[in-house]
């Protein structure tokens, strides 16, 4: 397989003929500390797609850590499954986790994983019996538990910051459209409902829509209508790639702030949104709450209160990025990228540095 060029440090690719799974680990940067980022397990069109996804997600983790001031680098694992996770038997899934752990051990702590789409704290518990290079075990297993609640808290802070930047008077009464009602999206919907938003929701899983509609009185729309339904705030919490140059040119909203990683198909989409006067909270800044939770609890020794306070500060970080973008007539994507690049060039994240064993110094 000929791999395209990449600005990252390492790509590890392994195939398991027994299960048919492909294992990809992208280590984008260890400039600020050991690389870190979750394990995504899903079906891909082929290994080329899996490699491209791992690399792009790993790059986003580098920017996320830098923008959040965390002393970690960026990496990501992708396991390209032979069939959807729900269709795999226990023995196959266990074998996949064992092989993934062996790959993590080969990297010797230069990359530490955690949960992402298709994996959860229970999987981190299994991995942690096989390798020390794991964040995000369940609380029952002595870990910090799911990162999703803090990701949702940070996304809501991003929504509030975006609403203020757009000159709107708070979230109350605004039409807030949440796409994806999984671990993060359902919690963001709850925050928005509590703040008095007119909630509109969608998910490809009708049961998730029904639960949120019952619980929060939300209006449910079809998954295909997410880019045509007028709203004040669009909150993408499903998968990436929702906004391309074409979809960004017509999406009918005022603010976009969500959890989905790699929401834009390319950075230039930020400029399309800027020209249309849409306030966009860059994904790697808005969704940093999960990373703040995992790194804060497991590397920096923060308690839950400190993690929550640092996560709410995502709103302040975004206010700075919005102001910079406004002052220089650049997109928020460019402004956030420049801020992360400054930290990377400096080599000193706001919250200190770590060695590969994860100890702060
Ligand atoms: P999840 O798998 O729990 O939820 C995703 C939800 O999106 C599911 O309910 C799924 O049915 C729905 N969905 C998928 N495709 C859809 C579509 N086309 N239209 C509508 N709904 C669709 O995942 P999560 O943990 O809630 O994460 C959501 C997103 O946020 C992901 O992109 C993830 O990478 C990102 N993220 C999550 C965290 C975290 O802490 N969990 C941290 C940072 C970023
Ligand atoms: C993400 O925030 O996108 C993740 O992948 C979660 C994560 C963050 C930090 C370490 C491990 C996993």
């Amino acid at each position: 397989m000929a791999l395209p060029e990449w600005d990252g440090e390492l790509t590890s690719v392994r195939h398991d003929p027994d299960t048919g799974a492909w294992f990809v680990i992208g280590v984008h940067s260890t400039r600020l500390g050991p690389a870190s980022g979750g394990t995504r397990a899903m079906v891909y069109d082929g290994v080329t797609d899996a490699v491209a996804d791992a690399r792009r997600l790993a790059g986003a983790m580098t920017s996320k850590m830098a923008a959040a001031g965390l002393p970690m680098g960026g990496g990501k694992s992708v396991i390209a499954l032979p069939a959807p996770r729900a269709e795999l038997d226990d023995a196959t899934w266990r074998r996949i986790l064992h092989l993934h752990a062996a790959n993590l051990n080969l990297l010797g702590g230069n990359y530490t994983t955690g949960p992402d789409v298709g994996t959860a704290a229970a999987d981190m518990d299994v991995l942690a019996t096989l390798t020390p290079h794991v964040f995000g075990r369940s609380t029952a297993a002595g870990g910090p538990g799911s990162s999703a609640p803090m990701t949702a808290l940070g996304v809501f802070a991003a929504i509030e910051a975006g609403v203020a930047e757009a000159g709107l008077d708070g979230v109350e009464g605004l039409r807030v459209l949440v796409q994806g009602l999984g671990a993060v999206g359902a919690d963001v919907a709850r925050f928005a409902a509590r703040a008095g938003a007119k909630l509109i929701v969608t998910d490809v899983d009708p049961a998730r829509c029904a639960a949120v509609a019952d619980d929060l009185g939300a209006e449910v729309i079809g998954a295909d209508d997410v880019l045509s339904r007028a709203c004040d705030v669009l909150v993408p919490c499903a998968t990436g790639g929702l906004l391309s140059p074409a979809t960004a040119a017509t999406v009918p909203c005022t603010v976009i702030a969500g959890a989905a990683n790699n929401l834009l198909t390319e950075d230039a989409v930020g400029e399309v949104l800027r020209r249309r006067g849409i306030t966009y909270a860059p994904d790697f800044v808005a969704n940093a709450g999960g990373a703040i939770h995992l790194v804060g609890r497991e590397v920096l020794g923060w308690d839950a209160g400190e993690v929550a306070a640092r996560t709410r500060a995502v709103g302040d970080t975004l206010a700075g990025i919005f102001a910079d973008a406004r002052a220089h007539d650049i997109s928020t994507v460019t402004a956030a990228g420049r801020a992360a690049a400054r930290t990377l060039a400096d080599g000193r994240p706001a919250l200190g540095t770590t060695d590969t064993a994860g100890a702060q110094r």
Side-chain angles (χ1 to χ4, degrees):
M1 177 178 49
L3 287 182
E5 285 183 17
W6 186 45
D7 65 348
E9 293 176 11
L10 176 145
T11 309
S12 143
V13 182
R14 179 177 180 179
H15 182 238
D16 175 36
D18 281 11
T19 58
W22 283 91
F23 301 79
V24 184
I25 300 176
V27 172
H28 179 257
S29 169
T30 54
R31 171 103 176 124
L32 300 180
S36 189
T39 297
R40 181 166 287 204
M42 55 189 256
V43 174
Y44 283 84
D45 280 344
V47 64
T48 310
D49 281 4
V51 168
D53 204 28
R55 286 175 158 192
R56 188 147 191 254
L57 289 163
M61 288 306 300
T62 300
S63 303
K64 187 179 310 195
M65 296 300 186
L70 295 169
M72 303 296 286
K76 207 88 165 190
S77 307
V78 157
I79 304 176
L81 299 174
R85 163 91 196 262
E87 292 171 20
L88 299 180
D89 60 49
D90 285 353
T92 301
W93 181 244
R94 262 197 104 68
R95 178 178 168 84
I96 285 172
L97 288 181
H98 275 247
L99 291 171
H100 186 37
N103 296 335
L104 294 170
N105 282 330
L106 282 175
L107 294 179
N110 289 304
Y111 165 72
T112 303
T113 200
D116 196 272
V117 174
T119 61
D123 302 309
M124 300 306 118
D125 293 351
V126 176
L127 286 175
T129 64
L130 305 161
T131 171
H133 311 303
V134 180
F135 292 141
R137 284 164 298 137
S138 67
T139 49
S146 170
S147 52
M150 283 304 111
T151 304
L153 183 68
V155 168
F156 191 66
I159 291 171
E160 291 186 310
V163 163
E165 174 65 15
L168 299 167
D169 189 18
V171 172
E172 188 173 4
L174 296 185
R175 297 159 300 169
V176 174
L177 196 178
V178 182
Q179 181 208 33
L181 300 169
V184 177
D187 265 10
V188 178
R190 221 161 280 128
F191 280 121
R194 220 178 285 153
K198 288 183 199 140
L199 199 57
I200 306 164
V201 297
T202 185
D203 196 293
V204 287
D205 180 346
R208 292 194 171 179
C209 291
V212 172
D214 280 359
D215 191 20
L216 304 175
E219 178 193 350
V220 177
I221 63 167
D224 291 342
D225 298 330
V226 70
L227 288 165
S228 56
R229 175 60 189 261
C231 63
D232 300 298
V233 187
L234 176 61
V235 188
C237 294
T239 47
L242 181 70
L243 295 171
S244 64
T247 59
T250 56
V251 61
C253 65
T254 307
V255 174
I256 302 175
N261 279 308
N262 293 346
L263 179 65
L264 313 185
T265 56
E266 55 211 89
D267 285 356
V269 174
E271 182 58 19
V272 177
L273 296 171
R274 184 186 79 83
R275 290 202 179 150
R276 292 191 58 220
I278 293 175
T279 301
Y280 170 59
D283 48 9
F284 64 80
V285 185
N287 71 15
I292 294 169
H293 170 74
L294 296 173
V295 176
R297 295 300 294 272
E298 301 201 62
V299 178
L300 301 171
W302 293 344
D303 64 17
E306 176 86 27
V307 166
R310 302 274 188 175
T311 298
R312 278 191 215 97
V314 160
D316 304 326
T317 304
L318 279 166
I321 287 165
F322 293 148
D324 190 36
R326 219 182 318 113
H328 296 99
D329 282 331
I330 54 176
S331 76
T332 58
V333 177
T334 302
R338 284 185 189 173
R342 276 193 297 272
T343 300
L344 283 160
D346 195 30
R348 279 181 293 125
L351 300 170
T353 55
T354 60
D355 59 29
T356 49
Q360 194 185 9
R361 55 183 152 85

